[in-house]
Amino acid sequence: MSTTSSTALPAGGLKSPGPGLLTLDPVHTALLHGLDALLTGLAARLAAPEVVGPPLLSVEGLARLDYFRNFPHLGVSAGRFTPEALDGLAAGEDPAELPLRPTGHLLPSATCYGLLLSLEGTDVGEDGLRLSATGRCFRNETHYDGLRRLWGFHMREVLYLGTKQGAVEHLENGSEFVRGLAALLGLELTRATADDPFYDRGGSRARLMALDPVKHEFSAPDGTAIASVNRHRNFFGERLDIRAGDAGPAYSACVAFGVERWVHAMILAHGTPEQALAHLRSARP
């Protein structure tokens, strides 16, 4: 019986298709999948079932969540070629010069938006609801930098909706999980209040954040934020009419992980992708 060995990559490896765009080689891919498998440990600990969010988000839904007021710079719109452009495409004209028509949808910039919009008008009860998902997210950035800042990346989130106290406990559990996983993987992380663009620095929301921070990030020694804990208060509950039984509009909170950034942090800590993968495979939760 013959066996087939793994094929070798071309000399020089896999090339970047462009700024902010990477094709991960087998070692980096194994790191990404292995890390995401460990990150699901928080979902297992909190009994959060795994779901898959939608690949597109309606601009109408995002507008109701103040997305464009708060993040006007991040959105990546989904467009389709106009009927008038189809003949040009078929004739071999430059697609970049042919007109696009907006679809009324954006690519997700965070995993939780699709999950929240899917729960509009529901009652999650006072016991609350938890969901876990990894989504491909896209952000229009001013610049791109290796695995640290990409056009498209994977974001693992564990989302909670329920009572105010439940949201607090969710983030406490999430913070404890991040610290424990970092220790297991040999990562030194620092926690700090995030300078989140959701808050206008000159407005009332900035003053509120200074008194009562709602987002903290865990960062690698080079300053790369690889995880965050986010308390939304009852903002989404009110905007989307999501209730927590007699407790009223649901409070929500999420713990988010940028998976490619965890890959970056592992390589930063352990020297090479191969050494990082060896350390990951030897780690036991």
Side-chain angles (χ1 to χ4, degrees):
M1 180 177 178
S2 63
T3 59
T4 302
S5 61
S6 298
T7 59
L9 294 179
L14 300 170
K15 298 180 180 179
S16 168
L21 303 173
L22 292 176
T23 300
L24 300 185
D25 63 26
V27 175
H28 285 81
T29 299
L31 275 167
L32 184 135
H33 289 315
L35 286 164
D36 190 49
L38 286 181
L39 296 175
T40 61
L42 177 60
R45 179 182 300 183
L46 299 177
E50 186 81 3
V51 298
V52 176
L56 296 172
L57 304 175
S58 74
V59 296
E60 182 274 332
L62 290 173
R64 286 189 285 120
L65 303 180
D66 285 354
Y67 178 85
F68 299 102
R69 289 181 57 197
N70 299 320
F71 304 105
H73 58 297
L74 285 186
V76 179
S77 177
R80 60 166 59 98
F81 287 105
T82 65
E84 298 75 21
L86 300 183
D87 288 341
L89 290 170
E93 295 182 26
D94 183 359
E97 300 298 325
L98 296 174
L100 292 170
R101 175 178 296 169
T103 62
H105 290 80
L106 260 63
L107 300 176
S109 61
T111 300
C112 64
Y113 283 116
L115 307 186
L116 290 162
L117 288 166
S118 300
L119 292 167
E120 182 173 7
T122 62
D123 189 337
V124 298
E126 292 188 39
D127 289 339
L129 171 71
R130 290 180 175 86
L131 297 173
S132 180
T134 294
R136 196 71 177 264
C137 298
F138 302 84
R139 294 184 180 179
N140 180 37
E141 302 277 14
T142 58
H143 68 283
Y144 298 98
D145 181 12
L147 291 166
R148 300 177 62 188
R149 195 175 295 271
L150 292 160
W151 260 105
F153 57 95
H154 295 82
M155 181 185 292
R156 159 72 60 181
E157 292 198 43
V158 183
L159 174 69
Y160 169 85
L161 295 105
T163 65
K164 182 177 182 178
Q165 183 58 33
V168 171
E169 293 173 357
H170 183 75
L171 297 186
E172 288 175 348
N173 285 322
S175 296
E176 179 185 353
F177 176 84
V178 172
R179 294 189 185 97
L181 184 58
L184 177 73
L185 295 174
L187 303 179
E188 295 184 6
L189 304 182
T190 57
R191 173 174 168 152
T193 301
D195 182 16
D196 197 316
F198 185 89
Y199 294 92
D200 177 3
R201 294 177 183 174
S204 60
R205 285 186 292 185
R207 291 190 292 273
L208 177 61
M209 183 180 182
L211 295 172
D212 184 21
V214 298
K215 179 174 183 175
H216 290 86
E217 291 180 335
F218 293 86
S219 298
D222 68 347
T224 302
I226 68 172
S228 64
V229 290
N230 309 273
R231 183 162 55 90
H232 312 138
R233 300 192 178 91
N234 57 359
F235 175 81
F236 292 117
E238 289 183 340
R239 289 295 177 93
L240 295 174
D241 188 28
I242 304 172
R243 299 186 60 80
D246 293 337
Y251 281 70
S252 61
C254 73
V255 184
F257 308 92
V259 189
E260 281 85 352
R261 289 187 171 196
W262 279 77
V263 174
H264 167 80
M266 286 290 289
I267 297 171
L268 184 68
H270 301 293
T272 67
E274 291 76 14
Q275 290 171 331
L277 183 58
H279 190 94
L280 172 65
R281 287 175 169 169
S282 66
R284 291 291 183 270

